Amino acid sequence: MSDVEAAQLIEALRAEGLRVTAPRRAICQALAHGHDHHLTASTLHDASERALGSAIDISTVYRTIDALEQAGLVHHVHLGHGPAVLHLSDHVEHHHLTCEVCGFTVDIGLEELQGLTDAVAVRHGFTIDSAHFALIGRCGAH
Amino acid sequence: MSDVEAAQLIEALRAEGLRVTAPRRAICQALAHGHDHHLTASTLHDASERALGSAIDISTVYRTIDALEQAGLVHHVHLGHGPAVLHLSDHVEHHHLTCEVCGFTVDIGLEELQGLTDAVAVRHGFTIDSAHFALIGRCGAH
DNA sequence: CTCGATGCAAAGGTTTTGCACCAGG
DNA sequence: CCTGGTGCAAAACCTTTGCATCGAG
């Protein structure tokens, strides 16, 4: 299934008129395999080099993430401080609850915040996109 | 009133057993005058130097912010990307709604999110502290 | 006099950019 | 071919830290 997803990413790149190169293939593969592990640019970098079997420049990883984001295939989420984590866009969107002490993160369904986002939209004309930034707090242990 | 607040900050520093120096006086003054303008470390730095009439090292600003935070007098909030903004703690706490496109930020009352935070606390054992990180979204114009 | 605060400089971590070269379509 | 992708190196950005010196209490 992950390989199917990797192939879909590659195909989507091609459809966008973007070039399919060896580093990009590896990056897509690593994304497809690890997107549910809160991949950051740096862990994606590592995984991509492992997948390719040779070095890839970190700037290439960032530029590829950028290309995939602009193509709407990937997006990034900020879990408090530290690096952004990456998600495949065709996966179920969810919000993140991150503990500011230990970094523990829970995914919660969009519908859990529906009431809030609706109310804020009505009152302030704001459309909340908290799937892009996590909700920060403290988990049970902290 | 702002001068009163600056004096209160200074006094509180002294009460914490911390030393009152010229740079700290200037930083407290700048904080008191500008805390409602979404001061960042760098704009606070500028304002403090203006208040003092001579140079202050940026690391001194960070260390003073740190001291004030540990004394519970100040806290910082992250409005999406970019630097943190500072608030005086004795001012009404509020959440922030920040437009990810233009950076426009609205303050909203804590009570507007009470329902949400309560629900999340019950369901996930998480205490949301979204006063520390802003809720990101898009304003009416974007 | 003592310990905390300062300035200076350097480094930290994440991300971006300039540039010459290489390769996909 | 021609444009876009790559590696390399350097910088940007915000923040932190080591160290010698200074000055508040």
Side-chain angles (χ1 to χ4, degrees), chain A residues 30-68:
Chain A
L31 262 175
H33 277 101
H35 73 92
D36 48 343
H37 304 316
H38 292 303
L39 278 178
T40 65
S42 134
T43 56
L44 175 59
H45 180 215
D46 296 346
S48 306
E49 291 192 327
R50 242 177 287 121
L52 180 58
S54 68
I56 300 175
D57 196 83
I58 185 67
S59 66
T60 297
V61 174
Y62 277 106
R63 285 190 273 231
T64 300
I65 293 172
D66 230 57
L68 291 169

Side-chain angles (χ1 to χ4, degrees), chain A residues 52-105:
Chain A
L52 180 58
S54 68
I56 300 175
D57 196 83
I58 185 67
S59 66
T60 297
V61 174
Y62 277 106
R63 285 190 273 231
T64 300
I65 293 172
D66 230 57
L68 291 169
E69 287 205 79
Q70 261 174 276
L73 303 169
V74 160
H75 56 104
H76 68 271
V77 179
H78 299 274
L79 304 182
H81 306 103
V85 307
L86 303 164
H87 284 278
L88 297 184
S89 296
D90 62 351
H91 278 253
V92 185
E93 289 236 26
H94 50 266
H95 295 272
H96 302 81
L97 229 48
T98 300
C99 176
E100 62 191 337
V101 177
C102 65
F104 175 65
T105 297

